[in-house]
Amino acid sequence: MPTYSAPDTTQLAYHVFGEGPPLVCLPGGPIQSSDYLGELGGLSAHRQLIMPDPRGAGGSAVPADSASYRCDRLVDDVEALREHLGLDRMDLLGHSSGVNLAALYVARHPERVGRLALITPSVRAVGIPIPGEVRRETVRPRHDEPWFPEAYAALEAITEGRATADTWQAITPFSYGRWDEEAQTYESAGKAQRNDEAAGVFAGEGAFDPESTREALGRFERPVLLLAGEVDPGAPPVVAAEFAGLFPNAELVVQPGAGHFPWRDDPGRFMAATSAFLA
């Protein structure tokens, strides 16, 4: 597994899949090994995927300073990776909470980014609110699925400020277009790949300045793709559309029937949309 050194000397690992023009892919979690991304539904057939493990996750070392898990400080790790790869400009993909990091990187180093793909995005870095009713409307089409009543009740509790550990667990099926045995195995593996302690620092005080980030993204004129899952309450399509509107040159794709991991729900649709954008 190749490694590189962060500015604070923390040794960071990354994985490489496929051949062709490189695409740096920032995982979510936050602070989760990039393993869960796999090869993004076969996107490695079109691009060389560079998959960094965040500090404190996967093959990357635990930093001496736990405050360095904060999202704005992770921007330096992404820049160090670009320099290590010898890229003057790189195409960048972020998933979920990794979109926050991608947005902050673009705001700080716009000249270093070519095409930008934001997949089922977290919107904390840009301060877009997600009303509870929007989340509930997004999942209601799944009302006939056997697990729906319990999961929907838990979602109501969360959006009304009555969240517990059990309610967060109960809404997990909404993250997947199909909540089958394969998805359940994938979810269990993903939990083991996360650094929960570090995740608590990621969005800590001072991590985000939404107003300045939005202003910076409004000046980024390179092509941008926002891809949302049709039934994903974590990144509802209407919210992804608002995010897309922050950029001068963005397109929105809503993948039918997809949850938070669209490359798993329908690899063909996901690969067609992303490969066409990145071509």
Side-chain angles (χ1 to χ4, degrees):
M1 185 187 310
T3 61
Y4 67 103
S5 183
D8 65 356
T9 74
T10 302
Q11 291 299 299
L12 304 176
Y14 63 98
H15 310 262
V16 181
F17 301 101
E19 298 180 354
L23 173 67
V24 174
C25 305
L26 304 179
I31 315 298
Q32 180 172 346
S33 163
S34 62
D35 286 352
Y36 82 95
L37 294 173
E39 297 187 29
L40 288 173
L43 190 57
S44 57
H46 300 270
R47 300 293 297 264
Q48 182 184 67
L49 307 182
I50 309 295
M51 306 278 205
D53 286 341
R55 54 178 56 217
S60 292
V62 173
D65 179 9
S66 62
S68 66
Y69 290 123
R70 210 173 69 176
C71 186
D72 59 319
R73 295 184 61 176
L74 296 176
V75 171
D76 290 337
D77 292 352
V78 180
E79 177 63 358
L81 175 60
R82 181 196 65 79
E83 293 177 347
H84 169 77
L85 296 171
L87 300 175
D88 181 61
R89 176 183 285 175
M90 62 183 174
D91 291 343
L92 192 61
L93 178 149
H95 172 245
S96 189
S97 60
V99 169
N100 294 307
L101 178 55
L104 295 191
Y105 183 84
V106 169
R108 196 179 302 177
H109 301 288
E111 74 286 357
R112 298 302 188 186
V113 180
R115 290 179 176 265
L116 177 65
L118 306 178
I119 311 302
T120 57
S122 168
V123 291
R124 298 190 71 165
V126 293
I128 298 175
I130 308 179
E133 180 56 25
V134 168
R135 296 190 194 272
R136 296 192 293 271
E137 286 179 358
T138 302
V139 303
R140 282 183 189 134
R142 308 188 71 177
H143 63 87
D144 288 335
E145 301 195 45
W147 47 263
F148 181 86
E150 179 183 358
Y152 190 77
L155 182 61
E156 286 186 310
I158 291 168
T159 57
E160 293 169 3
R162 298 182 284 107
T164 67
D166 289 341
T167 52
W168 283 109
Q169 177 63 29
I171 67 167
T172 301
F174 287 133
S175 293
Y176 297 87
R178 296 181 306 280
W179 185 237
D180 53 17
E181 184 176 348
E182 183 180 353
Q184 293 169 39
T185 299
Y186 178 79
E187 174 67 20
S188 295
K191 285 182 179 179
Q193 297 165 359
R194 299 173 194 149
N195 183 332
D196 292 334
E197 181 179 353
V201 179
F202 179 83
E205 184 177 357
F208 303 125
D209 182 351
E211 183 176 354
S212 65
T213 301
R214 290 164 72 104
E215 289 176 358
L217 298 184
R219 297 189 293 270
F220 182 70
E221 297 184 351
R222 301 289 297 171
V224 180
L225 170 69
L226 272 291
L227 191 148
E230 181 185 26
V231 292
D232 177 19
V238 65
V239 174
E242 186 174 348
F243 200 162
L246 300 179
F247 296 94
N249 185 20
E251 62 177 290
L252 172 68
V253 171
V254 178
Q255 184 170 315
H260 203 59
F261 306 95
W263 64 90
R264 292 187 54 82
D265 294 325
D266 190 331
R269 280 184 183 272
F270 177 81
M271 188 168 62
T274 53
S275 62
F277 169 75
L278 294 164

